């Protein structure tokens, strides 16, 4: 059945995409502007990207952001995958509703409340704010996203494969590592990319849980933007956009190839 597109529908889609992506396109374009004035085009230049290499404050903030993102995304992926396994494999256990609520709470809770609650916790236990408090906070709010992504894949997982492996003598741990994990690997990788992107982009929770020597790049950008947008900020934001876009593209390609390979394997198994 063919869908007829009216002029109103086309105009609405064009206006919606323009509203979302035109500011990003302008930001990328003006990051190559020769002029210091971000609203006046004076010619093409890459000097602002070169000056970033000499801006030690931005480089330090970027290094903190990358370290926090890598650690928090990795730990959140492990914990989120285990949580997804618990919710799909064990449908009945005492406290399951409470456990599910604790997993999904950061999805619907405002980041201000999450950041404030984490701050109060660290103050109550006497944990000085810094790199590790920031990392723990990022693990807390990104783990739920990984759990949702992995759980959606586990719900459609054919458990007869696991049962066949255990019938052949494999232990539960070996079955998970050699059978289950390779099948759900695209979802796990997608969850890691999502967690890393969320950590890379977070500002609100980081403001509450960071401390001396733990200033992230979004926090640094926000503090400088309050004094005025500079071409260096446009250059930094363009690099961040490129990193996030590359991560999403790689995740999509890997997931697509895994899905194609899975279909081929199933067809080969049915042919035998």
């Amino acid at each position: 059945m063919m869908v007829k597109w009216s002029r109103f529908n086309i105009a609405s889609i064009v206006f919606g995409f323009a509203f979302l992506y035109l500011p990003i396109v302008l930001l990328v374009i003006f990051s190559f502007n020769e002029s210091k004035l971000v609203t006046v085009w004076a010619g093409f230049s890459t000097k602002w990207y070169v000056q970033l290499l000499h801006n030690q404050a931005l480089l330090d903030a970027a290094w903190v952001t990358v370290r926090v993102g890598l650690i928090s995304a990795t730990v959140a992926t492990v914990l989120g995958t285990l949580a997804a396994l618990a919710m799909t494999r064990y449908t009945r256990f005492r406290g399951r509703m409470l456990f599910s609520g604790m997993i999904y709470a950061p999805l619907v809770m405002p980041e201000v409340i999450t950041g404030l609650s984490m701050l109060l916790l660290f103050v109550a236990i006497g944990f000085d704010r810094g790199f590790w408090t920031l990392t723990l906070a990022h693990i807390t709010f990104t783990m739920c996203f990984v759990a949702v992504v992995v759980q959606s894949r586990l719900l459609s997982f054919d458990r007869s494969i696991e049962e066949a492996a255990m019938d052949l003598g494999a232990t539960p741990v070996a079955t998970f590592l050699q059978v289950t994990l390779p099948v759900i690997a695209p979802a796990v990788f997608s969850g890691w990319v999502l967690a890393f992107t969320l950590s890379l982009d977070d500002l609100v929770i980081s403001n509450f849980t960071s401390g001396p020597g733990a200033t992230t790049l979004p926090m640094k950008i926000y503090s400088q933007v309050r004094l005025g947008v500079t071409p260096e900020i446009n250059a930094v934001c363009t690099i961040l956009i490129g990193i996030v876009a590359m991560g999403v593209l790689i995740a999509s390609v890997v997931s697509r190839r895994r899905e194609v390979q899975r279909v081929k394997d199933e067809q080969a198994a049915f042919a035998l």
Side-chain angles (χ1 to χ4, degrees):
M1 181 179 179
M2 296 184 62
V3 179
K4 294 182 179 180
W5 292 87
S6 65
R7 293 182 179 180
F8 176 78
N9 292 336
I10 296 175
S12 299
I13 293 175
V14 171
F15 177 78
F17 278 106
F19 180 79
L20 290 173
Y21 295 106
L22 186 59
I24 299 177
V25 173
L26 292 176
L27 183 147
V28 173
I29 292 175
F30 277 96
S31 68
F32 297 98
N33 189 11
E34 176 71 24
S35 174
K36 291 184 178 180
L37 301 176
V38 295
T39 58
V40 178
W41 180 260
F44 182 85
S45 176
T46 58
K47 68 178 183 179
W48 305 115
Y49 290 90
V50 177
Q51 289 191 11
L52 284 178
L53 300 177
H54 304 286
N55 193 326
Q56 193 60 40
L58 285 177
L59 293 178
D60 292 340
W63 177 234
V64 171
T65 303
V66 171
R67 285 189 297 157
V68 171
L70 291 176
I71 296 175
S72 62
T74 302
V75 177
T77 300
V78 174
L79 297 178
T81 301
L82 294 177
L85 282 170
M87 290 186 292
T88 53
R89 294 293 188 264
Y90 306 99
T91 57
R92 295 182 180 180
F93 60 89
R94 182 174 298 178
R96 187 183 189 280
M97 184 175 296
L98 177 61
F99 179 75
S100 300
M102 294 175 63
I103 293 295
Y104 295 133
L107 287 171
V108 296
M109 188 177 299
E111 290 190 1
V112 174
I113 297 177
T114 302
L116 180 59
S117 61
M118 296 293 294
L119 171 62
L120 295 176
L121 173 64
F122 294 141
V123 171
I125 63 178
F127 199 171
D128 294 334
R129 287 182 296 163
F131 177 83
W132 291 110
T133 57
L134 181 62
T135 303
L136 290 173
H138 282 210
I139 292 172
T140 301
F141 89 93
T142 57
M143 182 183 68
C144 60
F145 293 91
V146 178
V148 170
V149 174
V150 177
Q151 184 183 14
S152 63
R153 179 64 185 90
L154 287 172
L155 290 175
S156 60
F157 183 80
D158 186 5
R159 296 197 62 184
S160 61
I161 305 176
E162 294 178 332
E163 295 173 356
M166 287 186 286
D167 288 341
L168 293 175
T171 62
V173 176
T175 300
F176 173 76
L177 294 177
Q178 299 179 15
V179 178
T180 307
L181 187 58
V183 175
I184 66 173
V188 174
F189 179 71
S190 299
W192 186 91
V193 172
L194 180 59
F196 180 76
T197 303
L198 291 171
S199 175
L200 193 71
D201 183 62
D202 181 72
L203 174 63
V204 178
I205 296 177
S206 299
N207 271 322
F208 282 99
T209 58
S210 64
T215 301
T216 63
L217 193 56
M219 294 171 59
K220 189 67 178 178
I221 292 174
Y222 179 72
S223 63
Q224 292 190 5
V225 167
R226 295 176 64 182
L227 302 176
V229 180
T230 63
E232 288 186 4
I233 298 300
N234 290 341
V236 171
C237 294
T238 301
I239 294 174
L240 288 176
I241 293 171
I243 293 174
V244 173
M246 186 63 65
V248 173
L249 180 62
I250 293 174
S252 300
V253 172
V254 171
S255 299
R256 178 60 180 171
R257 289 184 176 179
R258 289 275 188 175
E259 186 66 22
V260 171
Q261 185 63 38
R262 184 183 65 83
V263 172
K264 289 182 179 179
D265 293 341
E266 290 180 354
Q267 292 176 350
F270 283 123
L272 294 176

